[in-house]
Amino acid sequence: MILLRRLLGDVLRRQRQRQGRTLREVSSSARVSLGYLSEVERGQKEASSELLASICEALDVRMSELMREVSDELALAELAESAASDTVPAPMRRPVLNPVSVTSVTGRPDERVTIKAPTEAVDVVAA
């Protein structure tokens, strides 16, 4: 099972180490206890959005960049997990945005119109 808190902690640790900074420096700058930051980096604690914002600020990293890196790690972990179990996850269903047909008899603005929406969308997945 993939744990998001572990992936997040790994990315935070790598960001800190790339900058050559210690846990003590970052925890002090983020106003978070050294022990708690250590547990977050090891994936033992779930970090709140407020705590993540504080850590990102201390590391001078945008939260969107952090999340993008976590997302990339998660995608790789999911692929590895599915390859190990020989199953491919089903694609997510997305709505198809087709034009909507409108029927009007006289074209007057106060007239009732009938709107026909698409019945069902089909996803195609390339192998």
Side-chain angles (χ1 to χ4, degrees):
M1 175 173 46
I2 302 166
L3 294 178
L4 188 59
R5 68 175 185 255
R6 270 205 197 126
L7 295 174
L8 183 62
D10 290 343
V11 171
L12 283 171
R13 180 182 297 113
R14 278 198 306 273
Q15 287 285 346
R16 178 179 58 77
Q17 290 174 339
R18 281 184 203 137
Q19 297 176 14
R21 297 179 64 193
T22 65
L23 270 172
R24 187 173 308 284
E25 290 170 339
V26 175
S27 68
S28 175
S29 181
R31 295 174 302 284
V32 177
S33 77
L34 187 140
Y36 195 80
L37 180 58
S38 174
E39 288 178 312
V40 168
E41 281 193 0
R42 288 181 283 141
Q44 294 177 338
K45 294 283 185 187
E46 293 277 353
S48 68
S49 57
E50 291 87 359
L51 178 67
L52 283 177
S54 183
I55 296 169
C56 285
E57 187 177 325
L59 291 170
D60 196 28
V61 174
R62 291 184 180 182
M63 195 179 306
S64 60
E65 293 172 19
L66 177 78
M67 292 304 183
R68 188 173 299 116
E69 194 172 336
V70 171
S71 177
D72 292 345
E73 294 281 328
L74 179 59
L76 290 173
E78 287 173 337
L79 285 173
E81 192 174 77
S82 67
S85 65
D86 265 346
T87 61
V88 178
M92 292 180 55
R93 190 182 251 331
R94 293 186 188 107
V96 176
L97 302 176
N98 289 335
V100 176
S101 64
V102 178
T103 307
S104 172
V105 178
T106 64
R108 294 188 334 220
D110 60 340
E111 182 181 8
R112 288 183 84 151
V113 295
T114 304
I115 299 174
K116 296 179 182 175
T119 55
E120 186 167 326
V122 177
D123 286 341
V124 177
V125 179

